[in-house]
Amino acid sequence: MRLFPSALSKTRMARSSKPRTSMAAPSTASPAPWRRRWLLLPALAVLIGLALLAMPAQRRHGTAAPGPIDTSAAPAARYVGAAACAACHQAETAAWQGSHHAVAMQPAGERTVLGRFDQTRFDDKDISATFFRKQGGYFVRTGDADGKPADFQIRYTFGVYPLQQYLVPFADGRMQTLPIAWDARPAARGGQRWFNLQAGQHVDRRDALHWTRLDQNWNFMCAGCHSTNLRRNYDAANDRYATTWTDTGVGCESCHGPGSNHLAWAAQAPGSGRSGTDKGLAIALDERGGVQWLHDAGNGQPRRSAPLAGHREIETCAVCHARGRGITDDPGPGGKLFDTHDPALLDAGLYFPDGQQQGEVYVYGSFLQSRMYAQGVSCSDCHEPHTLKLRAAGNALCGQCHAPARYDSTAHHLHAPGSAGAQCVACHMPARTYMQVDPRRDHSLRVPRPDLTLQYGVPNACNGCHADKSAAWAAAAIEQAHGAQRQGYQHFAGALAGARSGAPGTLQQLLALAGDTTSPDIARATAVAALGVYPGESTLPALRDAAANTDPLLRSAAMDALLSFPPQQRAALALPLAADDSLDVRVKAGRALATVPDPLLSVEQRALRERLFAAYVSSELSQAERPEAHFNLGSVYAERGATAQAQQEFRAALRLDPGFVPAYANFSDLYRSLGREDQAGAILDQGLRAVPDDATLLHLSGLQHIRAGDRTAALELLRKAALHAPDNARFTYVYAVALHSAGQPGAAIAVLEQALQRLPDAPDLLSGAATFEREAGHADQAGVYARRYAAVTADRAADR
């Protein structure tokens, strides 16, 4: 599963940013876990020796787990490799061998390497390299971990089209991905060249994005989705890998699961009374069997001949075709995504507020928003699963279900027949380009909404082609052709936009979306998670409903939101999920319960809390090579008062990544909470040496200098923090307060006024401006700010 843009292609992001909560003021009071979603994580498994957690006796939600129908006597399935499948499944094997799955990763050789290794020299301002052959091998000469030129052998290719990347092995078992890739497109389309995937990001050797470092590591970031049965075999004590796999590329068992029991079933003589109605398959991908799509004669809309009973196929594909976080050591697939992964929601940076793809999100989160998903469409309705090709060309693909006479017409698509604009995908699946050369279509299959561009600044399909026209022009054209009420299936942009900006009325919008059964569950789950900003009585019913929902996305989101609620409320909602059907939900329940104090729990509940917390710890340790995991553990240990363990985890995070800002922030905060200000300051100084311009560290260091009585140094540090993070209202507010305290009220007001032009609904800025204007004798202007403050905080005030 892809947690963030592939490590090989990601856009650079602030390493101190923190989804769903702010790192502005780290605290030991229930921070949400660090879930930075820019890691391409393999699927993993936690061995929890607790029947309650590993195999709940009673499924609390949803249907029974998918999988074999009759395997009570079957041994545990083993991986056997794609070659073992070929003898019986010749047609499927032939189809697969020509697919991108089969060549997702290959040993470097004459038939697999596409790039020019003929002493070709590549240079840009950030990186230089020479590609050459030597003794039959493929080599690159470029800067090593210290920036010194060195020769490295290419061991594997990675992908084939529209680009190919290359893997370099290191002595500690790591393989690292070069940032310079080969553009495999034809020369006429700008291809047949080397190019830098990190162009313009100015990545130096100290950055975790440097090709020799953490975030370009194949073992963790890429391998699980480019190989079959990937076992990272990370040795945390020695920081080494002994990674293994069954098939180099994405083979049969990447989708069908381990095949040994199927081979055993097939080996039985025909007519011998073969046992096992599931044929020994680990995952029965049979949800389309005997099903047809029918046209409703009345409205022309398609409908499935039988309802889709489960989502094994989609959740199997989502192991790799989704953004999310691995939560176990089992690479999957298992046909049940939430037992191995924590999928991403419609978070800022990943999706626009209307749900359109923004970051490199792949397919799953977009498709979950679609009416097609809601009606039972699955991946293989459109894609042939072995060749990966579409089942029909052009509009004929959509015409399988949608009546062409109605939809493939100028009256519907408003373009000349056969033109590019007349293609269904042009309007309903607009593409966004990633990795510079790789356009990928948005699978939310939405109707064009240029009116939302006018309201929220989101892109729209019309202006994607008609760039010379305005969004108002496009909105008028759509309204004239299809009516003013053409909202489509996704009508949640206002709530999610409000959650991101803090606009007045957001709480009611989020509550409405959370309870709206006509909206996609992933949008509802995003609203539920956002309710964590409003930890009051009015939000609890929505969290209770989400925690009891049949969709694990909603139950998982409820546990995320619950972290900001008081312990008694956390206990009431999280304890009933101890036997949840999905490991993801149980793990998050363990996090929510981790710091509930003993007096609020019975003896039995305390024991259950500790078992669930053990599941949470095991889940984090399944990602032990990542600083995020140790940061999460350090933070929760600090909350539990386990100071020594918290220090150990924060140090582990910083050993893995000396530039990992959240660990410095919370480590310093831990020392501050213990009254050890000197050590708190030393940690922040260490962080600023590693990441000199990081706004969070500058801000915290400024606060530390204020506590130490050095107001001059503090003021400069707070100024720099506000400068480097202009959209962080808290940093600007604290800087303004420092200016005011230093006898510069005019400068303080000017700073707040300037920030309010960017962040008009920021409560801290409005409160500060009202206070400072009133003290300056400007009653009218103070009243304006006070009224604005009251409007934007009404949601929170109502809950007090």
Side-chain angles (χ1 to χ4, degrees), residues 209 238 315 323 357 410 423 438 462 677 682 796:
L209 284 166
N238 297 297
E315 294 194 14
R323 285 286 284 272
Q357 64 184 14
T410 300
Q423 296 299 304
D438 191 5
C462 303
E677 288 285 356
R796 294 171 175 83

Side-chain angles (χ1 to χ4, degrees), residues 440-452:
R440 303 176 197 166
R441 294 202 175 275
D442 192 316
H443 279 62
S444 55
L445 298 129
R446 62 186 63 239
V447 301
R449 292 289 306 273
D451 58 307
L452 295 183

Side-chain angles (χ1 to χ4, degrees), residues 482-547:
H482 296 292
Q485 303 304 314
R486 185 174 171 80
Q487 288 191 338
Y489 186 61
Q490 303 93 355
H491 44 269
F492 47 78
L496 299 193
R500 297 178 186 189
S501 69
T506 293
L507 174 58
Q508 292 308 314
Q509 286 184 298
L510 291 174
L511 289 172
L513 175 55
D516 182 6
T517 57
T518 69
S519 285
D521 281 348
I522 189 171
R524 298 176 62 199
T526 306
V528 168
L531 290 174
V533 177
Y534 306 94
E537 290 294 329
S538 66
T539 58
L540 277 174
L543 294 194
R544 290 192 193 101
D545 288 346

Side-chain angles (χ1 to χ4, degrees), residues 370-382:
S370 71
R371 190 187 297 275
M372 281 67 174
Y373 174 80
Q375 295 299 317
V377 175
S378 59
C379 309
S380 62
D381 280 312
C382 299

Side-chain angles (χ1 to χ4, degrees), residues 370-701:
S370 71
R371 190 187 297 275
M372 281 67 174
Y373 174 80
Q375 295 299 317
V377 175
S378 59
C379 309
S380 62
D381 280 312
C382 299
H383 299 271
E384 203 292 316
H386 297 104
T387 65
L388 309 184
K389 295 178 180 179
L390 294 173
R391 290 192 177 274
N395 288 354
L397 178 68
C398 303
Q400 295 179 117
C401 297
H402 298 274
R406 177 170 182 170
Y407 295 104
D408 195 3
S409 66
T410 300
H412 178 74
H413 55 59
L414 312 181
H415 292 80
S419 66
Q423 296 299 304
C424 304
V425 295
C427 296
H428 299 291
M429 299 181 70
R432 191 174 182 87
T433 298
Y434 301 95
M435 303 177 82
Q436 301 183 37
V437 299
D438 191 5
R440 303 176 197 166
R441 294 202 175 275
D442 192 316
H443 279 62
S444 55
L445 298 129
R446 62 186 63 239
V447 301
R449 292 289 306 273
D451 58 307
L452 295 183
T453 304
L454 296 173
Q455 289 181 271
Y456 305 112
V458 300
N460 71 81
C462 303
N463 292 121
C465 292
H466 299 280
D468 59 329
K469 304 289 187 179
S470 68
W473 169 87
I478 293 293
E479 182 175 340
Q480 181 179 359
H482 296 292
Q485 303 304 314
R486 185 174 171 80
Q487 288 191 338
Y489 186 61
Q490 303 93 355
H491 44 269
F492 47 78
L496 299 193
R500 297 178 186 189
S501 69
T506 293
L507 174 58
Q508 292 308 314
Q509 286 184 298
L510 291 174
L511 289 172
L513 175 55
D516 182 6
T517 57
T518 69
S519 285
D521 281 348
I522 189 171
R524 298 176 62 199
T526 306
V528 168
L531 290 174
V533 177
Y534 306 94
E537 290 294 329
S538 66
T539 58
L540 277 174
L543 294 194
R544 290 192 193 101
D545 288 346
N549 196 277
T550 57
D551 192 327
L553 265 178
L554 282 152
R555 305 198 301 276
S556 172
M559 294 300 98
D560 283 336
L562 200 56
L563 290 175
S564 59
F565 281 70
Q568 190 165 0
Q569 293 168 339
R570 275 186 273 141
L573 267 69
L575 282 169
L577 296 180
D580 192 88
D581 185 43
S582 298
L583 177 61
D584 185 37
V585 178
R586 301 196 301 274
V587 164
K588 289 189 178 181
R591 175 63 182 90
L593 291 167
T595 55
V596 174
D598 285 354
L600 296 179
L601 303 172
S602 68
V603 173
E604 293 79 8
Q605 288 171 336
R606 293 174 201 171
L608 179 56
R609 176 195 62 195
E610 293 309 303
R611 293 198 296 270
L612 285 167
F613 180 59
Y616 170 77
V617 172
S618 295
S619 179
E620 292 294 342
L621 290 178
S622 74
Q623 319 284 305
E625 61 265 62
R626 293 299 306 182
E628 298 90 345
H630 297 285
F631 169 80
N632 287 345
L633 289 174
S635 298
V636 72
Y637 281 134
E639 292 178 56
R640 288 167 66 95
T643 303
Q645 289 171 293
Q647 293 178 44
Q648 176 180 324
E649 296 297 340
F650 288 141
R651 290 192 183 102
L654 294 174
R655 279 197 303 273
L656 290 167
D657 183 0
F660 190 66
V661 168
Y664 289 114
N666 280 23
F667 200 175
S668 172
D669 195 58
L670 173 64
Y671 280 134
R672 183 189 60 78
S673 70
L674 297 172
R676 294 154 66 175
E677 288 285 356
D678 289 347
Q679 288 173 290
I683 289 293
L684 292 174
D685 290 344
Q686 179 186 343
L688 284 170
R689 288 192 296 272
V691 196
D693 295 327
D694 183 81
T696 295
L697 296 180
L698 289 165
H699 176 78
L700 295 176
S701 186

